[in-house]
Amino acid sequence: MLTAVTSASAGFPEIRPPHGARRHAGRRFRILNIIDDVTRECLAAIPDTSISGRRVARELTPLIERRGKPRMIVSDNGTELTSNAILTWQQEHAIEWHYIAPGKPMQNGYIESFNGRMRDELLNESLLLDLDQARQIITAWVADYNTTRPHSSLGYRTPAAYADHLTATALRPRAYQQPRL
């Protein structure tokens, strides 16, 4: 069983249909990405045409049941993350929520770095024709990111291997300190 992660980040890169391509009737996609700041694992990558605060709360609930409750979640000030649904959810789950300063994305650097990597390696290189295809391709990319790509900051381990190492050696912090959205 995994102990709770120390912190997490979340963010929303936008996927725009390429010029002249029909992508889900030409609609944009958004992706709710949630990252473990300690292991760099992508805990969730949820693409959809619209993601409300209620949806974010619905996605976070089973995630903290699986991974443990964070002490704090850090996010930007997007409307879905400052909604009454999120404020209620964080109070019900007794999780502190920290909003970065407007216009200061590097205060949420892990998720910004991940979103940039996803954009460069996947979204800019793929022609996503519909939401189902986007979900399949994103799921495969996240699995590859978590299990086959070593990170120098993790001692050249993959995020999943580093998480296993922390769990096996009981080095993983006991409380989720800074989840970031």
Side-chain angles (χ1 to χ4, degrees):
M1 179 176 137
L2 292 175
T3 58
V5 290
T6 301
S7 67
S9 303
F12 294 93
E14 235 176 53
I15 307 169
R16 297 178 183 186
H19 181 66
R22 293 187 58 192
R23 207 156 65 168
H24 195 67
R27 296 183 69 187
R28 294 179 181 183
F29 296 21
R30 299 190 80 203
I31 306 169
L32 169 61
N33 285 326
I34 302 172
I35 304 300
D36 179 333
D37 289 352
V38 172
T39 67
R40 308 300 197 269
E41 284 178 288
C42 177
L43 304 177
I46 301 133
D48 213 331
T49 55
S50 175
I51 300 175
S52 67
R54 284 189 185 126
R55 173 76 183 275
V56 173
R58 276 197 320 266
E59 298 294 345
L60 286 172
T61 299
L63 183 59
I64 66 167
E65 289 170 0
R66 279 193 329 268
R67 296 292 297 234
K69 185 171 117 175
R71 269 192 6 208
M72 182 189 300
I73 294 178
V74 178
S75 73
D76 63 20
N77 295 288
T79 56
E80 61 281 316
L81 301 172
T82 57
S83 68
N84 286 331
I86 290 297
L87 296 175
T88 300
W89 181 88
Q90 62 99 183
Q91 288 174 346
E92 289 173 354
H93 290 86
I95 297 172
E96 185 180 347
W97 202 288
H98 173 74
Y99 294 100
I100 64 171
K104 303 287 186 183
M106 285 318 297
Q107 290 180 355
N108 207 356
Y110 293 124
I111 197 67
E112 293 299 325
S113 175
F114 179 83
N115 287 345
R117 178 171 284 171
M118 177 183 266
R119 192 176 299 109
D120 292 344
E121 295 177 7
L122 175 69
L123 304 178
N124 291 344
E125 301 296 323
S126 303
L127 178 61
L128 304 173
L129 299 174
D130 60 39
L131 192 55
D132 289 333
Q133 179 198 26
R135 287 181 177 134
Q136 291 172 1
I137 290 172
I138 290 166
T139 298
W141 186 86
V142 166
D144 178 68
Y145 174 87
N146 283 339
T147 61
T148 63
R149 296 178 182 205
H151 293 242
S152 60
S153 64
L154 304 176
Y156 294 96
R157 293 183 180 104
T158 66
Y162 189 69
D164 290 344
H165 168 75
L166 291 180
T167 300
T169 60
L171 294 175
R172 180 177 279 218
R174 298 195 188 269
Y176 209 156
Q177 294 175 359
Q178 269 188 313
R180 298 178 186 247
L181 296 178

